Amino acid sequence: MKIVCVGRNYLAHAKELHNPVPTSPVLFIKPETALLRAGDFYLPSFSKEIHHEIELVVRINRAGKSIAEDFAKNYYSEIALGIDFTARDLQEELKKQGLPWEKSKGFDNSAFVGNFLDKNAFENIQNLDFALQINQKTVQTGNTQDMIFAIDKIIADISQYFTLKVGDLIFTGTPSGVGAVQIGDVLEGFLEGQSNFKFSIR
Ligand code: ZN
């Protein structure tokens, strides 16, 4: 199982980190050990600035390589919300040096995933409101219609480079409003107004 993430997929987020707007999906991979399905998130010792990035997560349900965009919808049936935890201080340092991001993005438990829901429960998955609350205050809001690259396009692009397998997860990018989490924070994610996850930072 692998976790494929899309960077800079919402215009306002690309701008808030002073990144250029991509012309093709920016991809990176987190290893299986990054997955956090239940329980709280423990701040790692190597960073003083762990950021939250709330994202729509898609679960692949059949294997595929070089999937055509028109058929991509047949390769997933469940969606959830997740948090792409990012050691922003480390990432900025690595970016400055022109080095890969892996340490800042792929560390243990950096990919929190909430409860999976049948995509058919939603009329249009490219028009879903989602939000992150920290201590009951909304810090990030987004709508999947604002993705620069839509889910089917992302799957088509990823599968040109990486064969997708059953159980692989795709993090589809975060809207603006990323920021640091602190010990004691309670994070709750909402998809179309329904709570999808709730956990604490420790
Ligand atoms: Zn992200």
Side-chain angles (χ1 to χ4, degrees):
M1 194 279 280
K2 60 185 171 296
I3 301 163
V4 187
C5 304
V6 185
R8 306 171 188 170
N9 202 25
Y10 290 81
L11 202 55
H13 173 64
K15 286 188 172 161
E16 77 180 341
L17 293 185
H18 309 292
N19 288 317
V21 178
T23 52
S24 67
V26 175
L27 303 179
F28 58 95
I29 288 184
K30 295 182 187 243
E32 191 167 359
T33 43
L35 184 64
L36 178 61
R37 277 312 308 271
D40 294 334
F41 177 84
Y42 287 77
L43 287 176
S45 56
F46 53 76
S47 172
K48 292 189 159 39
E49 192 187 13
I50 297 289
H51 275 195
H52 54 77
E53 296 190 355
I54 187 147
E55 312 199 1
L56 188 82
V57 179
V58 173
R59 185 179 180 275
I60 295 297
N61 65 2
R62 52 188 280 214
K65 183 174 174 59
S66 299
I67 299 163
E69 191 176 337
D70 286 350
F71 293 105
K73 62 179 180 298
N74 301 320
Y75 286 80
Y76 62 99
S77 55
E78 292 178 305
I79 58 172
L81 290 178
I83 302 276
D84 165 17
F85 281 111
T86 304
R88 193 72 71 200
D89 47 357
L90 186 53
Q91 186 192 31
E92 293 301 327
E93 191 56 42
L94 292 166
K95 277 165 71 176
K96 214 181 294 168
Q97 296 179 41
L99 295 171
W101 293 343
E102 259 75 0
K103 285 178 173 178
S104 68
K105 283 284 198 181
F107 58 89
D108 287 356
N109 300 325
S110 61
F112 177 88
V113 181
N115 296 314
F116 280 101
L117 302 166
D118 185 342
K119 74 172 180 186
N120 294 319
F122 303 95
E123 205 168 298
N124 177 4
I125 61 160
Q126 290 298 159
N127 185 9
L128 297 177
D129 280 317
F130 60 102
L132 174 66
Q133 288 188 0
I134 298 185
N135 306 327
Q136 299 184 320
K137 182 172 163 280
T138 300
V139 293
Q140 283 191 272
T141 58
N143 185 292
T144 55
Q145 69 184 347
D146 295 325
M147 288 181 183
I148 297 172
F149 303 104
I151 295 164
D152 292 353
K153 168 77 181 163
I154 291 168
I155 288 174
D157 190 73
I158 289 172
S159 67
Q160 286 187 63
Y161 303 91
F162 310 110
T163 296
L164 288 168
K165 296 175 80 173
V166 175
D168 285 350
L169 301 177
I170 300 174
F171 276 64
T172 58
T174 194
S176 61
V178 302
V181 294
Q182 314 293 341
I183 289 177
D185 283 349
V186 176
L187 277 59
E188 186 167 15
F190 293 88
L191 182 60
E192 290 284 280
Q194 300 292 315
S195 181
N196 185 258
F197 66 74
K198 189 175 185 179
F199 67 99
S200 299
I201 305 295
R202 296 190 179 276

